Amino acid sequence: MTLMQWFVFILIIQVIHGLGTWKLYIKAGRQAWEAFVPVYNGVVLMKIINRPWWWIILLFLPIVNLIMLAVVWVETARSFGKNSSLDTFLAVVTLGFYNFYLNYITDVKYIENRSLHPKSASGDWTSSILFAIVAATIVHTYFIQPFTIPSSSLEKSLLVGDFLFVSKFHYGARVPMTTVGAPMVHDTIPLLHKKSYLFDDHKGSNSWKNKLQLPYLRIPGFEKIERNDIVVFNQPADTLLDMNDFHPDRNYYKPIDKKTNLVKRCVGIAGDSLEVRNGFVYINGKKNELPDRAHLQFSYFVQPKTSQFNPLFLKERYDITDGFGIINDQNTYYFSAISDEALANFKDNPNVLSITPNIQEKGVRDANIFPHDPNYDWNIDFFGPLYIPEKGKTIDINLKVLPLYKRVITEYEGNTLQVNGNQILINGKVATTYTFKQNYYWMMGDNRHNSIDARSWGFVPFDHVVGKPVFIWMSWDGKKPRWDRFFTTVSGEGKATSYLIPFLVILFGWIGFNKWRARKKNS
């Protein structure tokens, strides 16, 4: 729905609320008209149920409001003496319409100074769990989200098994577009392996479920995406039901905020001209200089002299961590990723006869590479030049450049597009230029030959950006912890410093201080 449609919908809800509660307002010593005034009626209701006014804010936060609405329905019933388990059940399962029964049929009395403390241990636990979920959902949605590195596309900067905190507020927190879903999970409910949100993800569906989507809204951030930032974003071309299942039974057309979360390096920002030469990125004609913590990796063919290579030895001696294997009967090995530092040392291995870079030839087209058009002979190592769209900038549009920006114009910016002979029609009108509505970015992995990235699907719109990884709180290599990566920053110069020991000192110091203070108070 559009913002105007949501506004009308909320007004209708206010009328329903007023019709179902105006007598209850009177019994609580208020005026009947107060039940019908949007927002104000919520403030008054919070006074009636003896809860803080700021609960109103929670009622307007997507996902959180699903929990808070149920809480308010139950609290309203209890404020008029309806405290039984059956009353609680009816208040929730009727979606608040139990209030109509209390308002028109029963002769309830308002309990002004009722106790707000649960009357049983189970009630206390339920209350605590609910508000813990609410608090965690707010933090998860608008401030910090935990994230696990699933692949080696940024290996050496971020390792498989790194557990990150991703800041939502650096670039501005995105208001959830999907309004009905399970809190604190992405596209799939763990263990149940079921979709976590209400949406019909068949292509072109006009289901009522899809009308519950909010338009794209973002709280202003304090930082813009800069070149070479590591960014978490929703994959634009995602058609997976479950982000961990790469072989779905069909394509799933999901809302933006439920597309698979990925983490890559932003090597090109809006307004840049990008080109890949021999596997290296050039921006506006100059070779892109990566931060010193970044380590590019490329794939190689390695011919051994005699014996086979031992994976554990290569990992410990040369820090070669990605997969490798024999590819032909001549005992030739294919190494999917080796960094320059590892390569310099690996060349001196007494078992290495030769090492050959796996670089594709310029001008040889790879059909899997953007823009997936036969007129563009681009591949993973030779790509571009390509202009990255910037909000408000206008380009000439013709049949030659159309494959580069067709998805931007239609999929990301919501226009209709037709080609009639040599003419391009956008929204039914002949167009020779196009002005972009938002910024776009080019996201790539440092692992240049073992990363599915923008070279496969193209531009990443700003409305797909989730946040900025800022902190590694834990790291696990599959068998044991990587202690030197615990409590380290993602960005910065030089080798990352672990703050685990200072954190533990402060934590145990705080615990000890609280125990000392408690003993002193009781003595």
Side-chain angles (χ1 to χ4, degrees):
M1 290 194 288
T2 65
L3 287 176
M4 179 56 69
Q5 289 171 331
W6 273 106
F7 178 73
V8 172
F9 176 74
I10 291 172
L11 286 181
I12 293 172
I13 295 298
Q14 301 302 310
V15 172
I16 294 173
H17 170 78
L19 292 174
T21 59
W22 64 273
K23 285 188 175 181
L24 300 179
Y25 274 63
I26 293 174
K27 290 180 179 181
R30 308 297 302 197
Q31 301 294 318
W33 60 267
E34 292 179 302
F36 292 89
V37 181
V39 182
Y40 176 71
N41 58 5
V43 175
V44 173
L45 182 60
M46 293 307 109
K47 291 181 179 179
I48 291 174
I49 66 176
N50 198 20
R51 293 297 185 178
W53 66 268
W54 50 262
W55 274 26
I56 296 299
I57 299 174
L58 303 182
L59 291 172
F60 285 92
L61 296 180
I63 306 300
V64 171
N65 58 5
L66 299 179
I67 301 171
M68 292 306 300
L69 281 170
V71 171
V72 170
W73 297 331
V74 172
E75 291 285 299
T76 301
R78 290 179 177 177
S79 294
F80 291 89
K82 297 298 182 178
N83 297 305
S84 70
S85 298
L86 179 60
D87 292 315
T88 300
F89 175 77
L90 291 174
V92 174
V93 298
T94 62
L95 303 181
F97 282 94
Y98 186 55
N99 288 335
F100 277 78
Y101 170 74
L102 302 180
N103 196 59
Y104 292 106
I105 299 176
T106 62
D107 185 20
V108 294
K109 292 184 179 180
Y110 176 58
I111 304 173
E112 184 173 1
N113 295 313
R114 70 184 179 94
S115 174
L116 299 180
H117 296 289
K119 292 180 172 55
S120 65
S122 61
D124 191 31
W125 271 100
T126 301
S127 177
S128 298
I129 291 171
L130 280 176
F131 284 100
I133 292 173
V134 168
T137 302
I138 292 172
V139 172
H140 182 276
T141 304
Y142 296 98
F143 296 97
I144 294 287
Q145 175 181 332
F147 185 81
T148 306
I149 298 298
S151 71
S152 62
S153 66
L154 288 172
E155 191 74 15
K156 311 312 173 197
S157 293
L158 295 176
L159 308 183
V160 175
D162 279 350
F163 291 78
L164 309 177
F165 284 139
V166 176
S167 165
K168 299 287 190 73
F169 53 85
H170 273 73
Y171 304 137
R174 190 176 56 186
V175 176
M177 302 172 206
T178 306
T179 60
V180 182
M184 294 184 297
V185 296
H186 191 55
D187 61 350
T188 308
I189 299 175
L191 302 179
L192 298 178
H193 304 293
K194 299 294 184 182
K195 189 166 60 178
S196 66
Y197 55 96
L198 189 66
F199 189 85
D200 183 0
D201 44 28
H202 288 81
K203 188 174 184 179
S205 172
N206 291 316
S207 170
W208 64 270
K209 300 175 185 177
N210 299 5
K211 307 297 183 185
L212 300 176
Q213 290 286 300
L214 274 173
Y216 167 69
L217 297 168
R218 188 183 289 272
I219 299 170
F222 63 86
E223 191 177 287
K224 292 183 178 180
I225 298 177
E226 296 180 358
R227 198 176 296 119
N228 294 324
D229 275 356
I230 295 177
V231 179
V232 174
F233 59 95
N234 299 115
Q235 181 187 346
D238 178 32
T239 56
L240 304 176
L241 170 63
D242 179 344
M243 69 174 79
N244 297 311
D245 179 6
F246 291 93
H247 303 284
D249 56 338
R250 62 175 175 84
N251 285 347
Y252 290 79
Y253 296 88
K254 302 188 288 189
I256 291 173
D257 58 337
K258 293 302 178 182
K259 293 181 178 180
T260 296
N261 287 331
L262 295 180
V263 58
K264 307 289 180 186
R265 190 180 303 280
C266 177
V267 297
I269 61 175
D272 281 347
S273 178
L274 178 141
E275 188 175 1
V276 178
R277 306 176 196 165
N278 209 33
F280 294 93
V281 171
Y282 287 76
I283 300 296
N284 304 322
K286 295 182 179 180
K287 190 174 182 179
N288 186 34
E289 296 294 333
L290 292 172
D292 60 359
R293 288 191 190 177
H295 300 275
L296 290 183
Q297 296 192 100
F298 296 94
S299 60
Y300 295 88
F301 297 108
V302 180
Q303 191 68 46
K305 290 180 180 178
T306 54
S307 60
Q308 295 183 350
F309 293 109
N310 182 288
L312 183 60
F313 175 78
L314 294 184
K315 178 180 179 181
E316 293 178 350
R317 179 70 179 271
Y318 302 111
D319 196 28
I320 297 175
T321 52
D322 275 41
F324 62 90
I326 298 173
I327 60 170
N328 57 35
D329 56 5
Q330 277 144 30
N331 208 30
T332 302
Y333 278 82
Y334 173 75
F335 281 75
S336 59
I338 304 178
S339 67
D340 289 345
E341 295 85 349
L343 183 66
N345 295 321
F346 188 39
K347 284 180 178 178
D348 297 329
N349 185 290
N351 189 42
V352 171
L353 177 66
S354 65
I355 299 180
T356 306
N358 178 31
I359 299 295
Q360 296 191 27
E361 184 180 346
K362 183 177 182 179
V364 176
R365 177 175 176 258
D366 184 342
N368 295 317
I369 295 299
F370 179 85
H372 315 289
D373 186 276
N375 293 317
Y376 288 85
D377 295 328
W378 295 352
N379 58 52
I380 199 168
D381 293 310
F382 291 92
F383 185 96
L386 174 71
Y387 172 75
I388 302 174
E390 183 178 5
K391 182 179 180 180
K393 293 298 178 69
T394 301
I395 63 167
D396 293 329
I397 196 80
N398 53 53
L399 294 181
K400 182 178 180 181
V401 303
L402 184 60
L404 301 176
Y405 302 105
K406 182 179 180 180
R407 187 172 177 86
V408 168
I409 295 170
T410 56
E411 184 76 15
Y412 306 145
E413 303 203 345
N415 301 289
T416 61
L417 188 148
Q418 294 176 298
V419 176
N420 186 5
N422 290 325
Q423 287 186 326
I424 298 172
L425 285 77
I426 299 177
N427 297 328
K429 297 180 180 179
V430 175
T432 56
T433 62
Y434 184 77
T435 303
F436 298 106
K437 299 177 183 178
Q438 63 175 316
N439 286 329
Y440 292 80
Y441 302 89
W442 197 259
M443 309 292 189
M444 286 177 60
D446 296 344
N447 199 337
R448 290 294 160 82
H449 289 157
N450 197 19
S451 172
I452 300 175
D453 52 34
R455 290 168 293 180
S456 296
W457 63 71
F459 309 107
V460 173
F462 185 56
D463 63 12
H464 283 57
V465 169
V466 175
K468 179 177 182 175
V470 293
F471 198 67
I472 301 170
W473 63 273
M474 188 179 78
S475 186
W476 188 266
D477 75 351
K479 296 182 179 179
K480 62 182 185 299
R482 305 184 185 101
W483 292 110
D484 61 329
R485 295 185 66 81
F486 276 53
F487 285 71
T488 58
T489 57
V490 173
S491 303
E493 301 295 327
K495 182 176 174 58
T497 301
S498 174
Y499 295 96
L500 176 60
I501 299 302
F503 169 77
L504 292 177
V505 169
I506 294 172
L507 176 63
F508 287 116
W510 178 254
I511 293 172
F513 172 74
N514 282 337
K515 288 185 176 180
W516 172 82
R517 187 172 60 176
R519 282 199 304 266
K520 188 176 180 180
K521 186 176 180 180
N522 295 328
S523 61

